[in-house]
């Protein structure tokens, strides 16, 4: 009886793991799925990805918070992109898990600000499963291990539908953060789960634990889907490497 | 008919958001549901969309100013 009641309250959703991909086409895919969700052609979707090295500058951000030259960035193979999430400059690279829930805020009964903080709670619960205690800081969105930021949140909302989301430094090489003022803050320390635990953490394990937490946090029954399956279902035109 | 462009209730009622950009200029044709404005907090980007098909006729709140949920920030003249 109880299970059937839960089943009625939960919503079907999709779990799309894009793997290690360049930022631009992955974001273009996110925009296409968001559009389908907004027009009722697709169910809520959780998109996971790791990106090739890239500094992204959010809507509150400035290129002045990138502290190195274009030549040095090219030498290191780090791309720079201006993106439409909230926030300032941050680094994404292999070993950082980026999670973008495409949800209707009305379905989860949260406003945008509450949802942003719920994503922080998701990260806190996830790291608690590794016996790592992290916390929020008043006026500094994200999750913190002492003074070091280990996970970030930054969302966008269109017609009540969310995109962008959260990131967690799992096995990320943290040295590129030395080339920026992360989130606009000079010399802000950053941390990774690898650094804290003293061992590499299987990304597949992190994803599995995260999936459970997201399912119960947002009352979703998630089913795996691939990007080609979505393209077929939505009759999308394949994207090129520039996301066009 | 004139339609209000209103900050949507997806933001917390007490949350002030800053107008980051007007995506359309006054006089531009707009389609209902199209993005007109990006409003931001430190970590949230909210898109304010066109309330009707028509033309953007007036911008009440310029870039850089803060607004709250339900504030009227401009008008669309419907077709």
């Amino acid at each position: 009886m109880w299970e059937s009641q839960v089943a009625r309250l939960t919503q079907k959703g999709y779990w799309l793991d894009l793997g290690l991909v360049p930022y631009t086409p992955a974001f273009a895919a996110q925009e296409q799925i968001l559009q389908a969700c907004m027009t009722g052609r697709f169910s809520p979707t959780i998109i996971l990805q790791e990106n090739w090295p890239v500094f992204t500058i959010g809507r509150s951000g400035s290129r002045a918070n990138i502290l190195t030259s274009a030549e040095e960035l090219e030498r290191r193979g780090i791309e720079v992109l201006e993106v439409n999430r909230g926030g300032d400059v941050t680094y994404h690279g292999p070993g950082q898990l980026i999670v973008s829930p495409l949800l209707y805020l009305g379905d989860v009964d949260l406003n945008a600000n509450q949802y942003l903080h719920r994503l922080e709670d998701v990260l806190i619960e996830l790291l608690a499963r590794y016996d790592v205690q992290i916390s929020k800081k008043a006026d500094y969105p994200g999750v913190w291990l002492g003074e070091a930021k280990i996970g970030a949140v930054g969302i966008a909302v269109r017609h009540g539908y969310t995109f962008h989301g959260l990131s967690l430094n799992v096995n990320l090489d943290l040295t590129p953060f030395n080339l920026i003022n992360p989130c606009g803050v000079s010399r802000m320390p950053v941390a990774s789960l690898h650094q804290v635990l003293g061992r590499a953490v299987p990304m597949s394990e992190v994803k599995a634990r995260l999936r459970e937490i997201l399912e119960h946090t947002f009352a979703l029954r998630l089913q795996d889907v691939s990007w080609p399956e979505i393209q077929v279902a939505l009759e999308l035109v394949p994207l090129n490497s520039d996301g066009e | 008919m004139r339609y209000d462009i209103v900050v949507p209730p997806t933001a917390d009622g007490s949350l002030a958001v800053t107008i980051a950009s007007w995506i359309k200029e006054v006089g531009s044709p707009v389609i209902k549901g199209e993005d007109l404005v990006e409003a931001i907090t430190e970590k949230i980007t909210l898109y304010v969309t066109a309330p009707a098909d028509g033309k953007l006729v007036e911008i009440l709140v310029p870039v850089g100013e803060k607004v709250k949920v339900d504030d009227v920030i401009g008008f669309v003249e419907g077709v």
Side-chain angles (χ1 to χ4, degrees):
Chain A
M1 176 66 183
W2 186 82
E3 281 193 359
S4 66
Q5 284 178 335
V6 170
R8 277 204 300 275
L9 293 171
T10 57
Q11 190 180 12
K12 176 185 161 189
Y14 290 109
W15 180 261
L16 171 61
D17 188 351
L18 295 173
L20 180 59
V21 288
Y23 184 95
T24 300
F27 184 68
Q30 183 176 161
E31 286 270 15
Q32 289 187 307
I33 299 168
L34 176 72
Q35 190 63 34
C37 291
M38 288 194 308
T39 52
R41 293 187 299 134
F42 209 63
S43 297
T45 302
I46 311 287
I47 303 175
L48 298 97
Q49 61 186 295
E50 294 172 67
N51 287 149
W52 293 110
V54 60
F55 290 136
T56 59
I57 306 171
R59 280 294 183 251
S60 321
S62 162
R63 281 192 178 242
N65 285 320
I66 297 175
L67 308 174
T68 193
S69 66
E71 293 75 22
E72 178 64 13
L73 291 173
E74 190 173 342
R75 192 185 69 74
R76 290 173 178 259
I78 301 177
E79 197 179 2
V80 177
L81 295 171
E82 293 184 8
V83 298
N84 60 356
R85 63 166 169 75
D88 204 297
V89 179
T90 194
Y91 171 67
H92 307 293
Q96 182 192 60
L97 181 59
I98 299 174
V99 183
S100 304
L102 311 186
L103 304 173
Y104 182 58
L105 286 172
D107 287 342
V108 293
D109 201 22
L110 297 170
N111 65 44
N113 204 35
Q114 291 167 330
Y115 170 72
L116 184 80
H117 293 302
R118 193 61 57 88
L119 293 181
E120 293 171 328
D121 295 335
V122 165
L123 285 169
I124 289 170
E125 189 175 343
L126 176 61
L127 266 65
R129 295 189 180 195
Y130 288 92
D131 293 323
V132 174
Q133 303 305 313
I134 59 173
S135 57
K136 304 182 198 182
K137 271 189 182 185
D139 300 328
Y140 292 95
V143 288
W144 304 77
L145 182 78
E147 292 303 309
K149 193 171 190 177
I150 193 166
V153 291
I155 64 166
V157 182
R158 179 181 286 140
H159 290 292
Y161 286 84
T162 64
F163 54 118
H164 293 292
L166 62 85
S167 65
L168 176 67
N169 302 335
V170 180
N171 301 309
L172 181 67
D173 171 15
L174 300 174
T175 54
F177 282 103
N178 296 330
L179 305 176
I180 58 173
N181 290 328
C183 307
V185 180
S186 176
R187 287 189 288 278
M188 187 183 76
V190 289
S192 72
L193 193 53
H194 182 165
Q195 188 186 53
V196 177
L197 298 177
R199 62 178 173 86
V201 183
M203 190 63 93
S204 57
E205 178 188 276
V206 175
K207 289 173 181 172
R209 292 178 181 188
L210 177 70
R211 182 170 176 157
E212 287 176 12
I213 295 167
L214 288 172
E215 282 189 321
H216 79 72
T217 298
F218 296 119
L220 293 168
R221 282 173 288 113
L222 295 170
Q223 129 185 4
D224 290 317
V225 69
S226 70
W227 175 234
E229 285 170 334
I230 291 176
Q231 287 177 301
V232 170
L234 298 178
E235 298 177 338
L236 298 175
V237 177
L239 299 170
N240 64 26
S241 60
D242 293 327
E244 294 170 343
Chain B
M1 181 179 172
R2 274 200 155 198
Y3 294 87
D4 295 346
I5 302 168
V6 179
V7 178
T10 44
D12 186 312
S14 63
L15 188 74
V17 293
T18 304
I19 302 296
S21 70
W22 278 87
I23 296 163
K24 297 283 182 175
E25 295 177 351
V26 170
S28 301
V30 299
I31 298 166
K32 183 177 180 179
E34 186 177 16
D35 292 340
L36 292 185
V37 178
E38 279 183 327
I40 60 171
T41 71
E42 189 185 352
K43 291 291 184 181
I44 302 171
T45 302
L46 284 179
Y47 287 90
V48 183
T49 54
D53 291 349
K55 187 165 73 173
L56 177 61
V57 290
E58 190 173 356
I59 289 174
L60 294 177
V61 183
V63 169
E65 288 202 6
K66 287 186 186 299
V67 292
K68 288 188 173 177
V69 166
D70 291 337
D71 283 355
V72 177
I73 57 174
F75 298 105
V76 166
E77 187 70 49
V79 287

